[in-house]
Amino acid sequence: MSSENLASHTFTHAEIKLFYTEQYQYLVALDLATAEFMPSKRSLLIKIENRQKVFDDLLAIFEHFDIALEFTMKHIKKALAANGGYISSAIYIH
C-alpha cells in the first residue's frame, strides 16, 4: 500500500505509542482507525533510524498522517526522561 493510501482521509483516529528498545532504538506503533474506540483498520510499526532526531521524526509522522498534536514536545520529552528514554542534546545531572 502506498503512503498516499495510508494518509487517506478515510482514517479519522490514530493511537500512537513510542517504545525505546533494549537495543537503544525508538519504535513508533501507529494504529489508524475510521472511528474513535473502533478496532484499527491499519497498524504500522515505524523504526526511528536516528534516535537523535526522534522529535523531528515524530513531528514528520504527525504531519504526514495529519494527526493533531495534543501534547507539546516539552511533555513528550518529560515523559521520555521519566521513563529512561534517550533525549538528544540533554545534559544529565545526578
Side-chain angles (χ1 to χ4, degrees):
M1 178 175 272
S2 71
S3 62
E4 291 81 20
N5 290 339
L6 288 175
S8 169
H9 66 278
T10 60
F11 298 114
T12 58
H13 292 80
E15 180 179 341
I16 299 170
K17 296 176 186 171
L18 182 64
F19 298 97
Y20 191 57
T21 70
E22 291 179 358
Q23 293 78 31
Y24 307 108
Q25 296 176 335
Y26 280 108
L27 300 174
V28 178
L30 179 63
D31 290 318
L32 302 170
T34 55
E36 192 172 11
F37 305 116
M38 296 295 291
S40 67
K41 296 290 184 181
R42 178 74 55 196
S43 295
L44 304 167
L45 187 62
I46 304 167
K47 179 181 175 184
I48 303 294
E49 291 292 329
N50 183 349
R51 69 183 180 150
Q52 293 187 350
K53 294 186 178 183
V54 65
F55 303 112
D56 294 336
D57 288 349
L58 281 173
L59 288 174
I61 291 168
F62 296 155
E63 184 178 303
H64 180 80
F65 291 102
D66 197 24
I67 297 170
L69 183 60
E70 295 179 21
F71 300 101
T72 64
M73 279 296 127
K74 183 178 179 180
H75 290 104
I76 294 172
K77 289 178 181 181
K78 185 176 179 178
L80 284 176
N83 290 289
Y86 173 81
I87 301 173
S88 59
S89 73
I91 299 171
Y92 296 92
I93 301 173
H94 295 278

